[in-house]
Amino acid sequence: MNFLQNLSHYRISRYSKLLFVCWDLLLLNLAIYMSAMVRFGDLDKLFLKDEKTISLLANLIWIALLMQKDSHRIIRIEYIESILRRTIKKLFIHIALIVFFVVLLKYSDISRLRLLYFYAFFFILLVISRYIFMKLLKNFRAKGYNFKKFIIVGANETGEKMRKILAKDLTYGYKFLGFFDQKKKLKIR
């Protein structure tokens, strides 16, 4: 068996929220370090009290935003544009909260340019990682892995329309098993 076949036997989806949060925190902290390197040329100013406080707040606020019910949701037939729209919305909320705390706590030593670099890097990293993840997941499903099997109760025109929608594209990750109906024989086109 190859690697993808072995991987498809494990139910990794139950850990998806945790993996999603950890990956985003990795990207967030990478963006913090990249912005410090671009703005200051080194990481020394990143260890000032004000910068550490804002970095901690950035991590905590992002975790809180990700814990909302729609953040980690990946619907099998959802377009990548809606996932990116949801991510960008959370990023704007994050920006507003961080700016609010910088003003509220009167942190005049916080470099506004570094914050701008941080959000530029974080946005780019988030969009690229979401896009790559969705493409890899679609490719994984197109090869026949990570399928959800489904049946339709009621073999009628509505059931046939549902079957066509869900089974038309392998990248959705659905495998049609059949209809349940009280009628013994029914012809469906």
Side-chain angles (χ1 to χ4, degrees):
M1 259 192 226
N2 67 23
F3 175 71
L4 291 177
Q5 286 175 331
N6 286 331
L7 188 62
S8 68
H9 293 297
Y10 298 104
R11 296 286 179 194
I12 298 175
S13 61
R14 66 180 135 192
Y15 305 114
S16 64
K17 191 171 188 174
L18 177 65
L19 293 171
F20 192 73
V21 170
C22 289
W23 179 253
D24 274 10
L25 287 179
L26 177 75
L27 294 178
L28 184 134
N29 287 298
L30 180 63
I32 289 172
Y33 286 114
M34 289 170 60
S35 66
M37 288 302 291
V38 169
R39 172 65 177 101
F40 305 126
D42 59 19
L43 300 176
D44 291 340
K45 291 191 179 185
L46 198 58
F47 296 108
L48 296 174
K49 179 187 169 217
D50 295 353
E51 290 283 350
K52 288 194 306 189
T53 303
I54 293 302
S55 296
L56 177 64
L57 277 172
N59 279 278
L60 293 176
I61 291 170
W62 193 251
I63 290 171
L65 288 172
L66 288 178
M67 289 300 158
Q68 291 178 343
K69 63 180 177 179
D70 286 348
S71 295
H72 69 286
R73 174 186 57 141
I74 298 173
I75 298 174
R76 290 176 178 262
I77 57 174
E78 185 176 23
Y79 293 109
I80 194 159
E81 291 85 9
S82 65
I83 294 170
L84 292 177
R85 194 175 314 114
R86 204 170 49 237
T87 302
I88 291 169
K89 181 180 172 186
K90 292 202 182 305
L91 191 64
F92 279 121
I93 293 170
H94 191 269
I95 291 170
L97 289 172
I98 290 298
V99 168
F100 173 76
F101 279 111
V102 167
V103 171
L104 178 74
L105 298 172
K106 298 179 183 172
Y107 284 163
S108 58
D109 292 337
I110 297 292
S111 170
R112 281 22 173 210
L113 185 58
R114 190 199 65 79
L115 282 178
L116 182 67
Y117 287 148
F118 161 70
Y119 281 111
F121 286 132
F122 191 43
F123 173 76
I124 290 168
L125 290 170
L126 277 177
V127 169
I128 289 172
S129 71
R130 296 283 195 278
Y131 181 78
I132 290 172
F133 174 74
M134 291 306 296
K135 289 297 181 184
L136 287 174
L137 190 58
K138 283 188 175 230
N139 188 18
F140 190 65
R141 288 177 178 155
K143 290 184 178 183
Y145 306 112
N146 193 6
F147 274 94
K148 287 204 181 245
K149 298 173 184 170
F150 74 99
I151 59 166
I152 296 176
V153 178
N156 53 28
E157 286 184 37
T158 306
E160 179 60 18
K161 286 179 185 176
M162 285 176 57
R163 183 197 65 79
K164 283 181 181 178
I165 290 170
L166 294 175
K168 76 176 179 180
D169 190 355
L170 284 176
T171 61
Y172 291 163
Y174 289 109
K175 185 175 183 179
F176 178 67
L177 297 179
F179 290 98
F180 277 122
D181 200 80
Q182 291 179 344
K183 298 176 186 176
K184 294 200 179 197
K185 287 188 178 183
L186 186 65
K187 290 185 181 179
I188 302 241
R189 296 178 210 153

